[in-house]
Amino acid sequence: MIYVRIEEKNIYPTARQALMCLVICQYLSNFYRPIELFRFSDITGNVFILAGDELQILVFRDGTWRFVNET
């Protein structure tokens, strides 16, 4: 019998990233845009925000962000 031990390394949002997510969500709220999905990736450490049906935002660990285009 073979036993495998998998150790998980948790990644948490940085302070700059968390603050920028709050700012972006506030902007979205001010313009009455519903936040449909807010997802933190344990793998990449990025935050993905889906607002409405088409607005996609990616927030990186250093606090920078960009719109995501689906092509």
Side-chain angles (χ1 to χ4, degrees), residues 8-38:
E8 293 184 28
K9 180 181 176 187
N10 292 333
I11 298 175
Y12 298 102
T14 64
R16 294 181 96 186
Q17 185 180 33
L19 183 60
M20 186 52 64
C21 287
L22 180 65
V23 169
I24 291 170
C25 288
Q26 180 64 47
Y27 285 152
L28 293 169
S29 175
N30 287 347
F31 290 106
Y32 301 101
R33 298 298 302 253
I35 298 170
E36 303 292 339
L37 179 68
F38 185 94

Side-chain angles (χ1 to χ4, degrees), residues 40-69:
F40 178 77
S41 172
D42 291 335
I43 298 170
T44 63
N46 297 331
V47 174
F48 176 81
I49 301 171
L50 175 63
D53 293 329
E54 73 285 340
L55 189 59
Q56 301 175 26
I57 301 168
L58 193 60
V59 183
F60 301 100
R61 295 190 53 75
D62 63 358
T64 60
W65 63 275
R66 69 176 173 88
F67 292 108
V68 179
N69 297 329

